[in-house]
Amino acid sequence: MRTLRRAPIYVFLSIVAIVSIFPFLWMIISATNLSVDVTQGRMLPGTHLFENIKNLTDSINLVPALWNTLKIALMTTILALLIASLAGYGFEIYRSKAKDIVFNLLLLSMMIPFAALMVPLYQMFSKLTGTVPVIGVNTLAAVILPTFTTAFLIFFFRQSSKMFPRELLEAGRMDGLSELGLFFRIYVPTMKTTYSAAAIITFMSSWNNYLWPLIVLQTPEKRTIPLLISNLGSSYSPDFGVIMAAVVISTLPTALVFFLMQKQFVAGMVGSVK
């Protein structure tokens, strides 16, 4: 009887799982078929995967695009974890009315859509192009700097810091640690699950970033993989088998990161401290 009562729950969860997995399954199957098979809705694996990959590498600079995307994602993730965790730690551990006002203003900035910031950001980087070429338009730094941390990430670290045991800080101060020493030697190792969750969120967001790189990266050798996939789909007669092969390749790094760190991600999202 207990199993029968739970049957509707299992049926519902099975349907949700199928609906969630179907797009990924269809993407992988489509990558093995010809474009005409994809448009006809063929749901059986084909034998043209390597042919599609070859056509993909012949039509776009796949390896440089993946390398550019990886560099941007890694640098953005490292900077985001450092800056956001320092800010979240400072807002929570060192409380004051002034800091609370600044934090509230920071939260209000989440209401501003990024589309409203693109024009002034582009103007700023275009002015820097002549004076500071390293961070001007058409550089990877121009992609990283405006997006390497967000108000949400700072809020995420501050909320997670609420569960941080303050006794560890007092013990560290008694042992003579500086404030930076407390952060790097006590706080960072203790909050590793929070760092894991934030790293997954930031890496996936940076890897799939499309709009801002589209505006600021202007030469083919600097383009990222989402931009090249978009170019494949905008041709007069798109090859959907090749497009699906490109999507599969671009999805693998983020999927690998998530599956390798899914336990830490779940633990970090629920706010556990180990």
Side-chain angles (χ1 to χ4, degrees), residues 61-74 140 143-144 206-207 217 219-225 228:
N61 296 323
L62 180 62
V63 175
L66 288 172
W67 177 236
N68 289 336
T69 310
L70 181 62
K71 286 191 292 185
I72 292 173
L74 287 177
L140 299 185
V143 180
I144 296 170
S206 178
W207 183 274
L217 298 178
T219 56
E221 62 271 12
K222 295 293 181 68
R223 295 293 176 91
T224 58
I225 192 66
L228 295 187

Side-chain angles (χ1 to χ4, degrees), residues 134-183:
V134 179
I135 58 174
V137 172
N138 199 39
T139 62
L140 299 185
V143 180
I144 296 170
L145 291 178
T147 58
F148 70 83
T149 192
T150 62
F152 166 76
L153 210 58
I154 296 174
F155 171 77
F156 177 68
F157 272 102
R158 182 181 182 180
Q159 292 302 110
S160 298
S161 298
K162 291 181 181 297
M163 302 184 64
F164 180 76
R166 307 298 178 88
E167 296 81 5
L168 295 179
L169 296 180
E170 297 301 327
R173 291 190 179 100
M174 293 179 63
D175 289 339
L177 286 177
S178 64
E179 294 302 315
L180 283 178
L182 293 174
F183 177 80

Side-chain angles (χ1 to χ4, degrees), residues 81-119:
L81 293 182
L82 177 62
I83 302 300
S85 62
L86 277 169
Y89 172 82
F91 277 123
E92 180 58 29
I93 301 301
Y94 308 105
R95 302 294 296 273
S96 69
K97 291 183 178 180
K99 287 187 175 65
D100 290 337
I101 293 173
V102 173
F103 184 74
N104 291 332
L105 293 175
L106 189 66
L107 293 181
L108 286 176
S109 68
M110 297 174 65
M111 301 176 64
I112 303 174
F114 185 74
L117 303 176
M118 289 189 300
V119 173

Side-chain angles (χ1 to χ4, degrees), residues 200-218:
I200 292 175
I201 295 172
T202 307
F203 184 87
M204 294 178 69
S205 176
S206 178
W207 183 274
N208 296 317
N209 193 12
Y210 172 77
L211 187 57
W212 178 241
L214 176 66
I215 295 172
V216 78
L217 298 178
Q218 300 176 348

